[in-house]
Amino acid sequence: MWQKNTANCYQNNVAWLYMNKFVALLLSMAAALSGCTSPVNTQQSNRHIYIVHGYDASPSEHWFAWLKSEMEKTEARVSIIDLPTPDDPQPQAWQRALETQVTSLDSNTYFVAHSLGSITLLRFLEKHPGNAPIGGYILVSGFNERLPTLPQLDRFIKPDIDYGKLVQRASSRVVISAPDDSVVRYRFSQALAKFLDARFITVEQGNHFLASDGFTEFPLVLAELQKAIAASGR
């Protein structure tokens, strides 16, 4: 299942996203002209999406608030996990934050995690296996190896994490990375995707996908999230 996609994948996903928006607009216009109102999609409104930020970040930074706003337009419930002391993160405190703020773990639950948020999420899912898989997770610049430039994050690394359990835990698994990432080495994200049997998507120029890298919006993540939801058929 693991594979490498080029920038063409990014373009295709963005095209797919805007095509869906165009179709939705046409349907809305048709309903308005006919004097009807479109019913709320109850399946979509039952979905809960959690966004997990990374080191030295916050719910209001980078592309997190934008993604929340875009998904809320689909009637989905979206929560950005508020992780304590992001400039001096502690694994136990971040796990407690997830345990407190994540209120659903079922087939209608989806996660998007960035950087340090990725291994934090994986450790949380490993600890809470559940009886049924969640809808899926998208890991942006994810890693489970020591970062030479950030030794203070070594305490988050868990080499013996149960990848088999994490594969079974989610129906849809995606890892996104850029070869020019100056924080998390590209091969670290690549290795994580292999261990998770996840689809691996390469963005040729993205660095670490921060606002300072030009990422205050992230259409690729939005498209991948909507594709995972559509593929679930629920």
Side-chain angles (χ1 to χ4, degrees):
M1 178 179 179
W2 176 87
Q3 64 184 62
K4 174 180 177 180
N5 293 295
T6 63
N8 288 333
C9 179
Y10 178 86
Q11 296 169 351
N12 290 339
N13 276 300
V14 173
W16 183 92
L17 169 64
Y18 286 106
M19 181 182 69
N20 273 338
K21 285 188 173 182
F22 179 67
V23 171
L25 177 62
L26 290 178
L27 291 174
S28 176
M29 291 173 63
L33 290 173
S34 66
C36 300
T37 57
S38 299
V40 173
N41 185 332
T42 55
Q43 288 185 330
Q44 188 79 332
S45 61
N46 286 335
R47 294 201 170 93
H48 200 152
I49 297 155
Y50 294 94
I51 301 170
V52 188
H53 68 74
Y55 170 65
D56 203 21
S58 72
S60 62
E61 291 185 88
H62 312 310
W63 40 269
F64 311 135
W66 172 84
L67 181 61
K68 180 178 188 290
S69 176
E70 289 298 307
M71 286 307 301
E72 285 178 337
K73 294 176 184 177
T74 70
E75 304 296 334
R77 184 180 177 190
V78 186
S79 302
I80 306 178
I81 304 298
D82 189 7
L83 298 167
T85 60
D87 56 340
D88 183 25
Q90 303 298 323
Q92 294 78 13
W94 279 30
Q95 288 300 306
R96 285 194 297 271
L98 283 169
E99 290 168 1
T100 301
Q101 298 175 51
V102 174
T103 58
S104 62
L105 275 174
D106 55 32
S107 60
N108 285 317
T109 306
Y110 295 82
F111 290 90
V112 176
H114 177 242
S115 193
L116 187 63
S118 296
I119 185 59
T120 300
L121 170 63
L122 294 178
R123 291 178 64 161
F124 172 76
L125 293 176
E126 180 193 35
K127 184 178 178 181
H128 299 276
N131 297 320
I134 61 172
Y137 50 73
I138 298 173
L139 310 179
V140 179
S141 292
F143 64 97
N144 189 23
E145 300 182 54
R146 294 181 177 182
L147 304 180
T149 59
L150 293 170
Q152 64 270 39
L153 304 185
D154 288 355
R155 51 185 173 259
F156 280 82
I157 304 306
K158 189 176 182 185
D160 61 344
I161 197 167
D162 190 340
Y163 287 110
K165 183 183 294 183
L166 294 169
V167 170
Q168 296 177 348
R169 194 70 183 90
S171 302
S172 175
R173 302 173 304 281
V174 175
V175 176
I176 298 173
S177 181
D180 63 342
D181 194 324
S182 60
V183 179
V184 175
R185 292 177 180 176
Y186 177 72
R187 61 183 178 87
F188 289 175
S189 295
Q190 201 171 34
L192 183 64
K194 285 186 176 182
F195 285 130
L196 292 170
D197 192 23
R199 190 154 59 88
F200 184 65
I201 300 176
T202 294
V203 178
E204 290 301 333
Q205 291 185 324
N207 203 335
H208 200 51
F209 306 104
L210 305 174
S212 58
D213 302 318
F215 284 82
T216 54
E217 300 180 2
F218 208 159
L220 174 61
V221 171
L222 177 60
E224 285 297 325
L225 187 54
Q226 292 187 335
K227 282 173 64 177
I229 291 172
S232 70
R234 289 183 294 271

